[in-house]
Amino acid sequence: GGGGGAGAVLHRTGYSISAGTYAISIGAGGSGGTGTDGGDTDAFSVTATGGGGGNKAESPGTGSNGANGGGAGYGGSGGTGTAPTAKGWDVYAGYNGGTGAAGTGAHAAGGGGGATAAGATGVNPNAGVGGAGKQISIANTSHYWGAGGGGSAYDSGTAGDGGIGGGGGGGTYHASGFGSGGASALNSGSDGAGSGVGGAAGANTGSGGGGQRGDGAAGIVIITYISTTAKATGGTITSYTSGSDTYQVHTFLSSEGHTITANGDVTNTR
């Protein structure tokens, strides 16, 4: 099966909000077992759309469309990536999933599209790697976000690696040649395994799972602002110091609905 496509990555600095309560919703990752698409993450009237699911079986078939397209099974076409519209925000999305290898042989599937690159095409005996995520420094730490999952392979083929930023590695149907999970992320993607089991994407990276059966990652919302004390409630609140400034950080991870309540007019970075 094809690797899962990554969800869209949205980033903005210098964004001011007035005192009030704002709804935040975290999209769930797509299911590798059923090839479903990832869910949308919503905050501040913008939406980071979910990635397209990879072709779910060791069979011909196309990847699903999404913020970044899912990878195809052998002989199929990758899903189309379409970036969401978010005025004033930097948006990283719109890359297609990789095409599956023509014919049978190793049944090399395509990789899922990432936030900055398309998934690679499967070329027998090698499945396509997942597209790379986007590197962003948030809360004084630099990670890659939104990577595509690696495609799976059959017989003597080699599965694709997950993209940098937490993409899951592709699985194979023999005892070797598994794809490696993508690193340099908040959480690294898992490696693929035998019996066609793809690795899961790194948790809360917005990345795609490895083909086949590797689950995609849920989304995340991170809000930071300069203050020695928290000026809002909601999420998990931490702080860090950079130079002479102290920053507050609100992190939202789980898929249920949340709110953030701003107690005053502050400048946020998401």
Side-chain angles (χ1 to χ4, degrees), residues 211-236:
Q212 62 184 16
R213 291 184 272 176
D215 291 337
I220 188 171
V221 171
I222 304 172
I223 302 164
T224 75
Y225 52 89
I226 297 174
S227 177
T228 56
T229 59
K231 298 296 185 182
T233 59
T236 299

Side-chain angles (χ1 to χ4, degrees), residues 238-264:
T238 57
S239 63
Y240 71 95
T241 300
S242 179
S244 60
D245 294 320
T246 298
Y247 290 78
Q248 302 298 314
V249 184
H250 297 251
T251 304
F252 299 84
L253 301 174
S254 56
S255 58
E256 68 264 19
H258 301 275
T259 59
I260 183 167
T261 301
N263 303 324

Side-chain angles (χ1 to χ4, degrees), residues 8-15 46 48 86-92 134-139 145 222 224 268-270:
V9 177
L10 274 61
H11 181 249
R12 184 168 182 171
T13 60
Y15 181 58
V46 295
K87 186 177 180 180
W89 294 73
D90 295 324
V91 179
Y92 305 98
K134 171 63 182 177
Q135 187 177 25
I136 301 175
S137 181
I138 304 174
W145 303 89
I222 304 172
T224 75
N268 293 302
T269 301
R270 174 179 174 225

Side-chain angles (χ1 to χ4, degrees), residues 116 130-134 144-148 161-167 181-185 207:
T116 65
K134 171 63 182 177
Y144 284 81
W145 303 89
D161 293 336
I164 186 172
S184 300
S207 298

Side-chain angles (χ1 to χ4, degrees), residues 10-46:
L10 274 61
H11 181 249
R12 184 168 182 171
T13 60
Y15 181 58
S16 297
I17 62 173
S18 300
T21 299
Y22 301 84
I24 292 176
S25 177
I26 306 298
S31 169
T34 58
T36 56
D37 301 339
D40 297 343
T41 293
D42 301 292
F44 304 113
S45 300
V46 295

Side-chain angles (χ1 to χ4, degrees), residues 20-200:
T21 299
Y22 301 84
I24 292 176
S25 177
I26 306 298
S31 169
T34 58
T36 56
D37 301 339
D40 297 343
T41 293
D42 301 292
F44 304 113
S45 300
V46 295
T47 299
T49 48
N55 175 251
K56 67 180 181 178
E58 185 275 303
S59 61
T62 60
S64 294
N65 301 332
N68 298 287
Y74 72 89
S77 299
T80 299
T82 302
T85 299
K87 186 177 180 180
W89 294 73
D90 295 324
V91 179
Y92 305 98
Y95 291 91
N96 296 342
T99 298
T104 53
H107 293 184
T116 65
T121 294
V123 180
N124 283 324
N126 300 316
V129 301
K134 171 63 182 177
Q135 187 177 25
I136 301 175
S137 181
I138 304 174
N140 213 32
T141 304
S142 184
H143 293 303
Y144 284 81
W145 303 89
S152 70
Y154 195 64
D155 291 336
S156 60
T158 300
D161 293 336
I164 186 172
T172 68
Y173 283 82
H174 52 91
S176 63
F178 315 134
S180 298
S184 300
L186 176 68
N187 296 292
S188 295
S190 297
D191 297 342
S195 300
V197 177

